Amino acid sequence: MRVLVGALLGLVLVRGDLLSQAPVVRQPPPAVGAQAPKDPEDVQTPPAVATQTQTGGKANGSAGTPEGGFPTIRVETRLVNVALNVVDTKGSPVGGLEREDFQILEDGKLQKIAVFEKEATTPLSIVLAIDASESVMTSERLEKEAAKHFVRALLREQDELDLMEFSDVVRELVPFTNQPKRIESGLNAIQHGDATALYDAIYLASDRLAGTSAANGRRRVIVLITDGGDTVKGARYTQALEEAQRAGAMVYSIIIVPIYADAGRNTGGEHALIQLAEDTGGKYYYVVDPKDLEPAFAHVSDDLRTQYLLGYYAPRRGADSSFRQIKVRMTDAELKAKYDLRYRTGYYADAR
């Protein structure tokens, strides 16, 4: 059966009953080629883009005069949730810490921690984006089996997962669902391609996550399986990073390295994925042997299950679209020296 699927700039011909339902995701804003960051400024100060605002836990800002005659000033606030991983010097997760063990700052100013969970049980919205280029899909059976085991191990009733593939274009194979069988069917329908639209995939996965409900402290996650290359003229690295930060998405990269010491290896792409993980509070893993994919997925699952959740109310500053820096630190100097903290570095004030 042949159907026409709307593509980025035209029509893409796709075969198969399942793939006939897999739309090519809309194209990101045009840019002059995709590129990894060339200097720290590209990463630390992303450009601002106007988007629709959606806030959680806010009070409508207004000033009025009650019956007593005294004006009441209401300050509009938003609840900012920060998923936090604490590890020791060996990289093992550290549990048992309390609210008073942490301090959280926004733009250098101390904030009151209003929400605290020791082991975050909040719902997860996950986009699993798989690089379907020939350079990555070398052991297809092992890769698909590892992804299936990851989905079955991680997905709970309150969670949801969206499955995407990317090569020449980005396709959403399965929209958000918590049914493992639907996701497995999507994994079986992955098609290979020649190119790699990596930054388009990150941008569009973030866009999908931004549309999910932020209720109940929902955590948003992107899991990428890729070799780090980007060979399509689409979204640039800075656009992909900004969209991920606007969505509040943690990016976990499983980086496939078929030949570890290969001189032609795309180390620039790898470094971009590493920086993306660090800026969004995610993590990265290297996989040389396809058999190591399953342990890498297990690490991602464990990482998400051992997170703390911290939340604070940040005051609104009028029509503000700035990037606000977040810093979390240990209260005790001794603990500060013992443990490493991983969390997102900030958020956009006007983000959805």
Side-chain angles (χ1 to χ4, degrees), residues 296-349:
F297 273 125
H299 284 307
V300 174
S301 181
D302 290 343
D303 205 69
L304 292 171
R305 292 192 185 284
T306 56
Q307 288 179 329
Y308 292 87
L309 183 69
L310 281 62
Y312 68 94
Y313 287 98
R316 300 287 293 178
R317 304 171 191 169
D320 183 12
S321 61
S322 65
F323 184 76
R324 300 188 184 181
Q325 298 282 346
I326 294 173
K327 182 176 178 60
V328 182
R329 64 191 183 195
M330 306 295 299
T331 306
D332 187 284
E334 186 177 338
L335 294 180
K336 191 181 299 184
K338 287 173 58 178
Y339 301 141
D340 289 326
L341 310 184
R342 195 175 73 251
Y343 52 91
R344 59 176 170 146
T345 58
Y347 70 98
Y348 281 92

Side-chain angles (χ1 to χ4, degrees), residues 4-13 24:
L4 290 178
V5 180
L8 300 176
L9 296 174
L11 296 176
V12 175
L13 189 62
V24 175

Side-chain angles (χ1 to χ4, degrees), residues 197-258:
L198 172 60
Y199 298 142
D200 282 5
I202 297 168
Y203 184 100
L204 296 166
S206 302
D207 185 67
R208 282 286 188 265
L209 286 168
T212 61
S213 170
N216 301 316
R218 179 173 293 275
R219 291 169 289 161
R220 294 166 173 172
V221 181
I222 298 172
V223 179
L224 294 165
I225 304 176
T226 180
D227 60 3
D230 186 286
T231 60
V232 171
K233 290 185 177 180
R236 299 174 64 175
Y237 173 85
T238 49
Q239 288 178 297
L241 171 63
E242 179 177 333
E243 196 70 6
Q245 289 177 319
R246 285 185 171 279
M250 296 174 282
V251 179
Y252 287 80
S253 298
I254 298 177
I255 306 171
I256 308 292
V257 185

Side-chain angles (χ1 to χ4, degrees), residues 117-124 156 158-159 216-219 304-305 307-309:
E117 288 188 24
K118 289 186 180 180
E119 288 186 4
T121 57
T122 52
L124 291 166
R156 304 162 299 175
Q158 67 266 40
D159 301 329
N216 301 316
R218 179 173 293 275
R219 291 169 289 161
L304 292 171
R305 292 192 185 284
Q307 288 179 329
Y308 292 87
L309 183 69

